[in-house]
Amino acid sequence: MNMAVTCEDGLTHKITARILAFVSLAAINGHTVDGQHEAIAMLCDWYDRWAQDTPDGRWWPEWLTLSDLRAGRSGQRGPGRPSWCYGTPGIARALQLAAIATSDPARQAAAEHALAASLAPGRLATLTSPGLCHGLAGAYQAAARAAADAITPAIASRLPGTAAVLTAAASTSTGSPALLTGDTGTRLAAETARRSAAPISGWDACLLLA
């Protein structure tokens, strides 16, 4: 049986990046407990192990199967869609936060370049939904937060193009008011793009982006 493993993924559907972002944000804000930095290092090591380095940039598998773990390599042949939930933007933001929490500029720069690469026009075009979870809004919000903390210009260089695509998508209603998959999340991210500033309300804290 080719079972999916629940310990590798982006910021929503499975646990690794979610925990990494949470404990890193806690550390950045001065809330630490014994073993916290060791946990950050362990989770970063996991992502180091499964990072896929290509001429077009670093990416991570959307999930790992039991067969992948046994073989020590992913069966995914190329980067998936750059969504916040499953894809590189959420993972790279978590790794950037981990690097900030542990004062690791080399890891931070690598995470920023990976996130920027995921927003290249060809890869961004694979996002067919405007929403936060699987679509353009989530990718933009993750990128905007990461750009504000960045030590490299890579992500900022991708923001205008990503914002333009998001703004166009936000002009059409999905017919749903949902936060993660409907108009509410899309319009909140579009407002971030319009203002070119972090949301005053901090609503995206629920996404573990800040």
Side-chain angles (χ1 to χ4, degrees):
M1 183 181 296
N2 196 27
M3 298 174 61
V5 179
T6 60
C7 57
E8 162 70 8
D9 208 340
L11 271 170
T12 57
H13 295 290
K14 297 182 181 139
I15 64 172
T16 314
R18 194 174 357 172
I19 293 174
L20 180 58
F22 181 81
V23 297
S24 298
L25 283 165
I28 290 167
N29 287 284
H31 305 293
T32 59
V33 297
D34 290 345
Q36 188 164 332
H37 278 77
E38 289 81 357
I40 291 172
M42 180 184 69
L43 292 168
C44 287
D45 286 346
W46 176 263
Y47 280 111
D48 289 345
R49 176 184 174 187
W50 292 101
Q52 309 295 305
D53 289 307
T54 72
D56 295 325
R58 173 172 287 193
W59 56 273
W60 289 266
E62 291 186 333
W63 55 76
L64 295 174
T65 66
L66 188 57
S67 296
D68 293 336
L69 292 176
R70 286 173 173 167
R73 62 180 181 276
S74 171
Q76 186 174 323
R77 296 184 179 275
R81 61 188 176 185
S83 61
W84 159 75
C85 60
Y86 269 115
T88 293
I91 292 171
R93 174 56 170 164
L95 287 167
Q96 183 198 39
L97 290 170
I100 294 170
T102 58
S103 301
D104 187 341
R107 181 178 297 282
Q108 184 174 348
E112 291 167 10
H113 284 292
L115 203 162
S118 76
L119 301 178
R123 289 173 67 178
L124 201 63
T126 64
L127 292 176
T128 58
S129 164
L132 279 176
C133 193
H134 303 102
L136 291 162
Y140 181 83
Q141 197 67 30
R145 281 295 192 177
D149 293 330
I151 58 173
T152 74
I155 301 170
S157 70
R158 297 287 192 190
L159 280 184
T162 306
V165 176
L166 170 61
T167 300
S171 65
T172 302
S173 173
T174 65
S176 167
L179 174 66
L180 288 180
T181 58
D183 293 341
T184 298
T186 303
R187 290 170 181 169
L188 283 168
E191 180 65 8
T192 299
R194 186 189 70 80
R195 295 179 60 249
S196 297
I200 296 171
S201 66
W203 64 265
D204 54 348
C206 69
L207 306 180
L208 293 177
L209 294 176

